[in-house]
Structures are given as structure tokens and as C-alpha cells.
Amino acid sequence: MGKRKHVVIVGGGFGGISAAKKLKKANVDITIIDKTNHHLFQPLLYQVATAALSPGDIAVPIRAILGERKGLKVLLGKVTNVNKQQNYVELKSGRQINFDYLVMAPGAQYNYFGNDSWKDHAPGLKSIGDALQVRERILLSLEKAEQLEDPKLREPYLTYVVVGGGPTGVEMAGAIGEIVKRNMMRNYNTFSKNETRIFLVEAGPKILNGYPNSLSERARETLEDMGVRVLQNTPVTDIDKGQVSFSEGTIETPNIIWAAGVAASPLLSSLDTEQDRTGRVKVEGDLSIPGNDTIFVIGDAAYKTDDEGSPLPALAPVAIQQGEFIGNLIKNEIAGKERKDFHYVDKGTMATIGRAKAVADIRGFKFSGFFAWILWSIVHIFFLIGFRNRFRVFVEWMWHYFTFKRGVRLITDRFTESDED
Ligand SMILES: Cc1cc2nc3c(=O)[nH]c(=O)nc-3n(C[C@H](O)[C@H](O)[C@H](O)COP(=O)(O)OP(=O)(O)OC[C@H]3O[C@@H](n4cnc5c(N)ncnc54)[C@H](O)[C@@H]3O)c2cc1C
């Protein structure tokens, strides 16, 4: 009998974890490497940023998810290079790890379109650290506003700008709208909720681009009803400390949240193969890279078209299905079976806008409102990993639904600027 094949998986996100879970039952050694020690449920990051959930509700250690198994290793480390000639990946520490099969699932990161300095003033939502930073800024702003008697002086601290009208921007703006309208504001005495301004800024002609026009329009109306001003056809021209500019003018606020473009992981360029304009690797039908059938790229890192020729969206179900597909492909190949091509099964898209408000497009059936929100909640609870997390999130949501209260409102000194008091 030959030596067991070694499968290296880079990334413990939706794609990497799905591949690893499938491979656990295969006759292979597995090494999964991630630069963090946890799998993160990114679709609920905005709830951590808006003090509805705690980090531990949406993140689970990768080691805990995969459990024990002979020949399975979970490594904490950042992969900095892939050598596809000699079949090894290299970690930041300099360590090299050989592979027989490589599954690249490093996901994406926010793209500031070449304006890297904007990042310091307008954090995106990609990690637990990002979400806590946004949460801290929002809470700190409210504390500052509480101390200012002059409404003009406190205006910036009661202003929120979310850049990017995709699902994340819509969810974030809606959640801030909820905070403002309902609960947190009641705990402050100096200002009224009517002083709060929330802007959702989108460069394109509509929010929720990629959704049917009727749902985009419904989302816009719902947000406006919640007090969010939706600025469409409004590209951001500059972001500096405490201010964001457009061709029409400037808004002053420390609360700027970036939910605009994304770019695939920079690590992918070391594969030295064709990438699209956002850095995603163009893969073959079986998700391998051209000219190398042992290296696969999946999830947000991959550019793959559907059966009609349109690129697959950067969504969790795509990454999950691709991870499972690769796990099965490797398992079958070792058992001497032939490879097949990947086909995505689209079960629909949804976005939530706030309490009891969402839009959904399920196989052409478009609907919005309470029913869409219930469906959104069920799907998100279902996809959360781990019974404990599902239970905790369910209880938290019930609590919010009936009390309108947000529980996780702590300001630690992690992101507080030391020169301000
Ligand atoms: C705020 C937000 C909201 C979203 N909402 C939704 C939603 O409602 N519905 C939906 O379907 N999708 C949503 N998405 C998209 C969804 O989260 C992604 O499509 C999905 O996470 C992609 O899975 P992935 O495995 O490709 O990458 P990821 O899940 O991003 O995982 C990549 C992993 O690779 C690790 N990694 C990266 N680089 C390295 C490196 N060099 N070395 C080692 N490890 C590395 C990262 O730490 C991470 O754990 C949302 C995304 C965000 C950011």
C-alpha cells in the first residue's frame, strides 16, 4: 500500500471547513492552516458591530469543530507563499509544508480601491477585531455626544455613514437605524434620537445590486422609513480622519463603516495563474487551477462561472458547496473514481434590513417583510456551527425581539484613543 496522501487546506472559513469535514472520512492526512484560530460566521459580524451579539456567538475554534482524528492537524499560521513546482506552502514563520493536494480557501478582504489610508478611518467588517472596533467607535461616539451641550458640536458624533449598498451595508445601516429608533438612545439624556443621521452611500444606481429591482427598491424604502438616508449614484471621493467626502460635499463623523468593494486574498498571486480584476483565481470546471490538477481554489478566492456563464457570487453557500465538492473529489480520486465538474445549486439570496424586515429571492419567488425575516433567521441559525452557538444566538434574538435591548455594550480600552478623555 502506498503512502497516505497529504491534503493541505489553507483557510478555515466556509470553504476550508466544508472540505476538511468531508475529508475526515477519507484515507488521507489533513493539515488545515488558518491565520486565526477560529472559524468565523461572517454574515453575523454586523450584529457584533452593533452590540447585538458577542464575538463568541459567531466564532468557534477550528480545532473544536474538526475534533480529533489520526493524521489531522490544525495549524495557526499565515501562509505567505505557494510553491507549485515543488508542492509546498510556506508560512510566515518560514516553515514549509509539503502537499499532495492543496485546497486554497483564503477568502477575500476589503478593497479600498488603491486608497489604503481610508482603511484607518473607515474600518470594514471582516474579522472579530473589525467588528469590535466599529462597536467601540459607535458606543464611544454616543458617550461623547452625551457630554456636549451644543447640538452643533455633537452632530458628528450622532452621524453614521455606511459606504457600500450591498447586503452588508444594508444590514449595517438597518441595524444602526434600529439602535437609534428603539433602544439604546433611551439611555442617554442630553440628546434626542431625532438628532441622529444615518447615511447609506452607494456609488451605483441602486442598493442590493444583483438582486431584482423590486427587492432593491423595497429595501431602499424600508431603510428610508427607518430614518436611513440612502444616497445612490454617490461615489466617495475621499475619507480622512472624521470625515467622508463626495462630489456634493463632506459629512463629518468618526463613524464611517466601509462595506464597499472586496478583493481576493493577495496570497493567490503566488499561484502565478490567471486572476480576474478583483484577484480571484480563474479555475477549471473541477475547481483546479489551469495546468495543475492537484491545486484547487474555492470560495471567495475562486472565479467560477455558472452554467449560464455568469460568475458565481461571493456567498457562503458557494464556498460550502465547493468545499464539499473538493472533499468528495479527492476522496473519490483516491478510490480510483473519475473526476466530475462542479455545478452550483442556487437556493436563493436574502438580506435582512432590521427587526422583522428582510428581502428574499428564492428561486425566482421574491418576497419581503416579516416572512422573509423569519426565513433569514432560520437559515442563519441553521448554518451557525455548533449547538451552543445556535442556542445562544436564538436566545439573544428572542431577547432583542421582545425587549428591543442590545446587551453587549461594553467599551474596553482596546480601540480607545489614549489622547482623548
Ligand atoms: C460582513 C459580511 C457579511 C456577509 N454576509 C453574507 C450573507 O448574509 N450571506 C452569505 O451567503 N454570505 C455572506 N458573506 C460572504 C461570506 O461570508 C463569504 O462568501 C464566505 O465567508 C466565503 O468563504 P471562504 O471559505 O471562501 O472564505 P472565508 O470564510 O473568508 O475564510 C477564509 C479563511 O482563510 C483564512 N486566511 C486568509 N488568508 C490566509 C492566509 N494567508 N493564511 C492562513 N489563513 C488565511 C482567514 O482567516 C479565514 O478564516 C458576508 C461576508 C461579510 C464579510
Side-chain angles (χ1 to χ4, degrees), residues 257-294:
I257 298 134
W258 186 261
V262 287
S265 162
L267 169 65
L268 297 164
S269 55
S270 69
L271 289 173
D272 194 20
T273 182
E274 198 184 348
Q275 293 169 267
D276 77 347
R277 66 184 172 79
T278 63
R280 292 182 299 176
V281 167
K282 296 196 172 178
V283 292
E284 304 283 8
D286 61 1
L287 308 180
S288 63
I289 62 171
N292 189 322
D293 62 5
T294 58

Short mmCIF file of all heavy atoms in Angstrom, two decimals, residues 257-294:
data_model
loop_
_atom_site.label_atom_id
_atom_site.label_comp_id
_atom_site.label_asym_id
_atom_site.label_seq_id
_atom_site.Cartn_x
_atom_site.Cartn_y
_atom_site.Cartn_z
N ILE A 257 -18.18 53.43 8.15
CA ILE A 257 -18.01 51.97 8.04
C ILE A 257 -17.91 51.61 6.58
O ILE A 257 -18.74 52.01 5.76
CB ILE A 257 -19.18 51.23 8.72
CG1 ILE A 257 -19.20 51.58 10.21
CG2 ILE A 257 -19.07 49.72 8.53
CD1 ILE A 257 -20.54 51.93 10.73
N TRP A 258 -16.88 50.86 6.24
CA TRP A 258 -16.63 50.51 4.84
C TRP A 258 -17.24 49.16 4.53
O TRP A 258 -16.89 48.14 5.13
CB TRP A 258 -15.12 50.47 4.60
CG TRP A 258 -14.74 50.26 3.17
CD1 TRP A 258 -14.38 49.10 2.58
CD2 TRP A 258 -14.68 51.26 2.15
NE1 TRP A 258 -14.11 49.29 1.25
CE2 TRP A 258 -14.28 50.62 0.96
CE3 TRP A 258 -14.94 52.63 2.10
CZ2 TRP A 258 -14.12 51.30 -0.26
CZ3 TRP A 258 -14.78 53.31 0.89
CH2 TRP A 258 -14.37 52.65 -0.26
N ALA A 259 -18.19 49.15 3.60
CA ALA A 259 -18.79 47.88 3.17
C ALA A 259 -18.85 47.87 1.64
O ALA A 259 -19.81 47.38 1.06
CB ALA A 259 -20.18 47.74 3.79
N ALA A 260 -17.83 48.47 1.03
CA ALA A 260 -17.85 48.59 -0.44
C ALA A 260 -17.12 47.40 -1.07
O ALA A 260 -17.45 46.27 -0.77
CB ALA A 260 -17.27 49.93 -0.84
N GLY A 261 -16.12 47.64 -1.89
CA GLY A 261 -15.56 46.54 -2.69
C GLY A 261 -14.75 45.52 -1.91
O GLY A 261 -14.26 45.80 -0.83
N VAL A 262 -14.66 44.32 -2.45
CA VAL A 262 -13.75 43.32 -1.88
C VAL A 262 -12.76 42.86 -2.94
O VAL A 262 -13.02 42.94 -4.13
CB VAL A 262 -14.49 42.08 -1.32
CG1 VAL A 262 -15.22 42.37 -0.04
CG2 VAL A 262 -15.40 41.47 -2.35
N ALA A 263 -11.62 42.38 -2.47
CA ALA A 263 -10.62 41.81 -3.37
C ALA A 263 -10.19 40.48 -2.78
O ALA A 263 -10.16 40.32 -1.56
CB ALA A 263 -9.42 42.74 -3.48
N ALA A 264 -9.88 39.53 -3.63
CA ALA A 264 -9.47 38.21 -3.13
C ALA A 264 -8.13 38.32 -2.41
O ALA A 264 -7.41 39.31 -2.54
CB ALA A 264 -9.39 37.23 -4.29
N SER A 265 -7.82 37.28 -1.63
CA SER A 265 -6.59 37.29 -0.83
C SER A 265 -5.34 37.52 -1.69
O SER A 265 -5.19 36.92 -2.75
CB SER A 265 -6.47 35.93 -0.14
OG SER A 265 -5.16 35.73 0.31
N PRO A 266 -4.42 38.39 -1.23
CA PRO A 266 -3.19 38.65 -2.00
C PRO A 266 -2.32 37.40 -2.17
O PRO A 266 -1.51 37.31 -3.09
CB PRO A 266 -2.47 39.73 -1.19
CG PRO A 266 -3.16 39.82 0.12
CD PRO A 266 -4.51 39.20 -0.01
N LEU A 267 -2.52 36.43 -1.28
CA LEU A 267 -1.73 35.18 -1.34
C LEU A 267 -1.89 34.48 -2.70
O LEU A 267 -0.98 33.78 -3.16
CB LEU A 267 -2.21 34.27 -0.20
CG LEU A 267 -1.74 32.83 -0.20
CD1 LEU A 267 -0.23 32.76 0.02
CD2 LEU A 267 -2.46 32.04 0.90
N LEU A 268 -3.04 34.71 -3.34
CA LEU A 268 -3.36 33.96 -4.56
C LEU A 268 -2.40 34.28 -5.71
O LEU A 268 -2.21 33.46 -6.61
CB LEU A 268 -4.80 34.24 -4.99
CG LEU A 268 -5.84 33.78 -3.96
CD1 LEU A 268 -7.19 34.41 -4.23
CD2 LEU A 268 -5.94 32.25 -3.97
N SER A 269 -1.78 35.47 -5.66
CA SER A 269 -0.88 35.81 -6.78
C SER A 269 0.32 34.87 -6.82
O SER A 269 0.94 34.69 -7.87
CB SER A 269 -0.44 37.27 -6.70
OG SER A 269 0.13 37.50 -5.45
N SER A 270 0.63 34.23 -5.67
CA SER A 270 1.79 33.30 -5.69
C SER A 270 1.47 32.03 -6.48
O SER A 270 2.37 31.24 -6.77
CB SER A 270 2.25 32.98 -4.26
OG SER A 270 1.29 32.20 -3.59
N LEU A 271 0.20 31.84 -6.86
CA LEU A 271 -0.13 30.67 -7.68
C LEU A 271 0.27 30.90 -9.15
O LEU A 271 0.30 29.97 -9.95
CB LEU A 271 -1.63 30.37 -7.61
CG LEU A 271 -2.13 29.79 -6.28
CD1 LEU A 271 -3.65 29.71 -6.28
CD2 LEU A 271 -1.54 28.41 -6.03
N ASP A 272 0.53 32.19 -9.47
CA ASP A 272 1.01 32.54 -10.81
C ASP A 272 0.11 31.97 -11.91
O ASP A 272 0.57 31.27 -12.82
CB ASP A 272 2.46 32.03 -10.96
CG ASP A 272 3.12 32.66 -12.17
OD1 ASP A 272 2.64 33.71 -12.62
OD2 ASP A 272 4.11 32.07 -12.68
N THR A 273 -1.18 32.26 -11.78
CA THR A 273 -2.13 31.81 -12.80
C THR A 273 -3.13 32.94 -13.01
O THR A 273 -3.13 33.93 -12.26
CB THR A 273 -2.82 30.50 -12.34
OG1 THR A 273 -3.71 30.06 -13.36
CG2 THR A 273 -3.60 30.66 -11.04
N GLU A 274 -4.00 32.82 -14.01
CA GLU A 274 -4.85 33.95 -14.38
C GLU A 274 -5.85 34.31 -13.26
O GLU A 274 -6.48 33.42 -12.67
CB GLU A 274 -5.63 33.64 -15.66
CG GLU A 274 -6.17 34.90 -16.31
CD GLU A 274 -7.04 34.62 -17.53
OE1 GLU A 274 -7.07 33.48 -18.03
OE2 GLU A 274 -7.72 35.57 -17.96
N GLN A 275 -5.98 35.62 -12.98
CA GLN A 275 -6.92 36.11 -11.97
C GLN A 275 -7.84 37.14 -12.61
O GLN A 275 -7.47 37.77 -13.61
CB GLN A 275 -6.14 36.76 -10.81
CG GLN A 275 -5.31 35.78 -10.00
CD GLN A 275 -4.35 36.46 -9.04
OE1 GLN A 275 -3.19 36.71 -9.37
NE2 GLN A 275 -4.81 36.79 -7.85
N ASP A 276 -9.05 37.33 -12.03
CA ASP A 276 -9.93 38.37 -12.56
C ASP A 276 -9.52 39.72 -11.96
O ASP A 276 -8.55 39.80 -11.21
CB ASP A 276 -11.41 38.02 -12.33
CG ASP A 276 -11.86 38.26 -10.89
OD1 ASP A 276 -11.00 38.47 -10.02
OD2 ASP A 276 -13.07 38.24 -10.65
N ARG A 277 -10.29 40.78 -12.25
CA ARG A 277 -9.82 42.11 -11.82
C ARG A 277 -9.89 42.30 -10.31
O ARG A 277 -9.25 43.18 -9.76
CB ARG A 277 -10.56 43.23 -12.57
CG ARG A 277 -11.99 43.32 -12.26
CD ARG A 277 -12.76 44.35 -13.04
NE ARG A 277 -14.16 44.16 -12.73
CZ ARG A 277 -14.74 44.60 -11.62
NH1 ARG A 277 -14.06 45.30 -10.75
NH2 ARG A 277 -16.01 44.35 -11.39
N THR A 278 -10.62 41.41 -9.59
CA THR A 278 -10.61 41.52 -8.13
C THR A 278 -9.66 40.49 -7.50
O THR A 278 -9.69 40.28 -6.28
CB THR A 278 -12.03 41.33 -7.53
OG1 THR A 278 -12.48 40.01 -7.83
CG2 THR A 278 -13.01 42.34 -8.08
N GLY A 279 -8.85 39.86 -8.33
CA GLY A 279 -7.83 38.95 -7.79
C GLY A 279 -8.28 37.51 -7.63
O GLY A 279 -7.51 36.67 -7.14
N ARG A 280 -9.54 37.19 -8.02
CA ARG A 280 -9.98 35.80 -7.88
C ARG A 280 -9.32 34.94 -8.95
O ARG A 280 -9.19 35.37 -10.11
CB ARG A 280 -11.50 35.70 -8.00
CG ARG A 280 -12.23 36.35 -6.87
CD ARG A 280 -13.73 36.20 -7.00
NE ARG A 280 -14.24 36.82 -8.22
CZ ARG A 280 -15.52 36.75 -8.60
NH1 ARG A 280 -16.38 36.06 -7.89
NH2 ARG A 280 -15.92 37.36 -9.70
N VAL A 281 -8.96 33.72 -8.56
CA VAL A 281 -8.27 32.83 -9.50
C VAL A 281 -9.28 32.15 -10.43
O VAL A 281 -10.29 31.60 -9.98
CB VAL A 281 -7.49 31.75 -8.71
CG1 VAL A 281 -7.02 30.63 -9.62
CG2 VAL A 281 -6.32 32.39 -8.00
N LYS A 282 -9.00 32.22 -11.73
CA LYS A 282 -9.89 31.58 -12.71
C LYS A 282 -9.63 30.08 -12.69
O LYS A 282 -8.52 29.63 -13.01
CB LYS A 282 -9.66 32.17 -14.09
CG LYS A 282 -10.03 33.64 -14.14
CD LYS A 282 -10.18 34.15 -15.55
CE LYS A 282 -10.75 35.56 -15.52
NZ LYS A 282 -10.89 36.16 -16.83
N VAL A 283 -10.64 29.33 -12.27
CA VAL A 283 -10.44 27.88 -12.10
C VAL A 283 -11.11 27.09 -13.21
O VAL A 283 -11.99 27.58 -13.92
CB VAL A 283 -10.98 27.40 -10.72
CG1 VAL A 283 -10.15 27.94 -9.58
CG2 VAL A 283 -12.45 27.78 -10.53
N GLU A 284 -10.70 25.84 -13.31
CA GLU A 284 -11.30 24.92 -14.29
C GLU A 284 -12.64 24.41 -13.76
O GLU A 284 -13.01 24.67 -12.60
CB GLU A 284 -10.35 23.73 -14.51
CG GLU A 284 -8.94 24.10 -14.96
CD GLU A 284 -8.87 24.49 -16.43
OE1 GLU A 284 -9.94 24.62 -17.08
OE2 GLU A 284 -7.75 24.66 -16.94
N GLY A 285 -13.30 23.59 -14.57
CA GLY A 285 -14.61 23.04 -14.18
C GLY A 285 -14.55 22.25 -12.88
O GLY A 285 -15.51 22.24 -12.09
N ASP A 286 -13.41 21.59 -12.59
CA ASP A 286 -13.30 20.81 -11.35
C ASP A 286 -12.66 21.63 -10.22
O ASP A 286 -12.25 21.07 -9.20
CB ASP A 286 -12.48 19.53 -11.60
CG ASP A 286 -11.05 19.84 -12.06
OD1 ASP A 286 -10.69 21.03 -12.17
OD2 ASP A 286 -10.28 18.89 -12.30
N LEU A 287 -12.56 22.94 -10.42
CA LEU A 287 -12.03 23.92 -9.44
C LEU A 287 -10.51 23.85 -9.26
O LEU A 287 -9.96 24.45 -8.33
CB LEU A 287 -12.73 23.80 -8.08
CG LEU A 287 -14.27 23.84 -8.08
CD1 LEU A 287 -14.82 23.70 -6.65
CD2 LEU A 287 -14.79 25.12 -8.69
N SER A 288 -9.84 23.08 -10.14
CA SER A 288 -8.37 23.08 -10.09
C SER A 288 -7.85 24.28 -10.89
O SER A 288 -8.61 24.91 -11.64
CB SER A 288 -7.81 21.78 -10.67
OG SER A 288 -8.16 21.69 -12.04
N ILE A 289 -6.57 24.61 -10.70
CA ILE A 289 -6.03 25.73 -11.46
C ILE A 289 -5.51 25.20 -12.81
O ILE A 289 -5.11 24.03 -12.90
CB ILE A 289 -4.93 26.51 -10.69
CG1 ILE A 289 -3.71 25.62 -10.38
CG2 ILE A 289 -5.50 27.11 -9.42
CD1 ILE A 289 -2.52 26.40 -9.82
N PRO A 290 -5.53 26.04 -13.85
CA PRO A 290 -5.11 25.54 -15.17
C PRO A 290 -3.70 24.95 -15.12
O PRO A 290 -2.80 25.53 -14.53
CB PRO A 290 -5.15 26.81 -16.03
CG PRO A 290 -6.13 27.70 -15.35
CD PRO A 290 -5.97 27.43 -13.88
N GLY A 291 -3.54 23.77 -15.70
CA GLY A 291 -2.21 23.15 -15.81
C GLY A 291 -1.74 22.45 -14.55
O GLY A 291 -0.60 22.00 -14.48
N ASN A 292 -2.58 22.38 -13.50
CA ASN A 292 -2.15 21.70 -12.27
C ASN A 292 -3.39 21.09 -11.59
O ASN A 292 -4.20 21.80 -11.01
CB ASN A 292 -1.47 22.70 -11.32
CG ASN A 292 -0.83 22.01 -10.13
OD1 ASN A 292 -1.36 21.05 -9.59
ND2 ASN A 292 0.32 22.50 -9.72
N ASP A 293 -3.51 19.76 -11.70
CA ASP A 293 -4.75 19.17 -11.21
C ASP A 293 -4.71 18.75 -9.74
O ASP A 293 -5.60 18.06 -9.25
CB ASP A 293 -5.19 17.99 -12.11
CG ASP A 293 -4.17 16.87 -12.11
OD1 ASP A 293 -3.18 16.97 -11.35
OD2 ASP A 293 -4.36 15.90 -12.86
N THR A 294 -3.67 19.20 -9.01
CA THR A 294 -3.64 18.89 -7.57
C THR A 294 -3.83 20.14 -6.70
O THR A 294 -3.84 20.06 -5.47
CB THR A 294 -2.32 18.20 -7.15
OG1 THR A 294 -1.25 19.07 -7.50
CG2 THR A 294 -2.16 16.85 -7.81
#
